[in-house]
Amino acid sequence: RLDATNAIPAPIVCGITLLDMDHVAMLGDTIEKIAREKAGIIKKGIPCVTVEGQRPGAAAALKEVADRVGSPLFVCAPPPPPRPR
C-alpha cells in the first residue's frame, strides 16, 4: 500500500527483498505486519520474487497475500559464494 513501486501500474515482476524490523512507525510493529505492507506491491497474475531466509512470519505473510491476490510467489536461493581465483 505505502510502497512507491505501486506507481507502476502493470509491472512484469514484483520483488521483495529480505525484510527486517525497519520503519515500524509506518509499517507495523511485527514482522508479519511489515510483510503485509510490503506485500501491497503484489498484483494479480504478476510473478513475485522474494529471497530465501525471510523470517518465518514474514514468509508466511507474503505467501498468504500472494495466494489471496492470485500471484505466483517464487523464493530464490542466495547466489553461491564466489569461486577462488
Side-chain angles (χ1 to χ4, degrees), residues 20-21 24 27-36 55:
D20 204 352
M21 297 298 294
V24 293
L27 302 179
D29 59 357
T30 68
I31 197 68
E32 293 83 3
K33 289 178 183 176
I34 291 169
R36 284 188 187 90
R55 293 184 189 187

Side-chain angles (χ1 to χ4, degrees), residues 1-8 14 16 23-29 32-43 62 65 68-69:
R1 290 179 325 115
L2 302 173
D3 199 297
T5 60
N6 270 327
I8 302 168
C14 294
I16 299 176
H23 311 294
V24 293
M26 289 180 57
L27 302 179
D29 59 357
E32 293 83 3
K33 289 178 183 176
I34 291 169
R36 284 188 187 90
E37 284 296 330
K38 291 294 189 172
I41 68 168
I42 298 174
K43 295 175 176 50
L62 294 176
V65 173
R68 180 169 29 88
V69 171

Side-chain angles (χ1 to χ4, degrees), residues 44-67:
K44 180 177 179 149
I46 305 298
C48 183
V49 179
T50 191
V51 294
E52 191 176 90
Q54 294 285 10
R55 293 184 189 187
L62 294 176
K63 172 129 178 59
E64 171 191 318
V65 173
D67 288 347

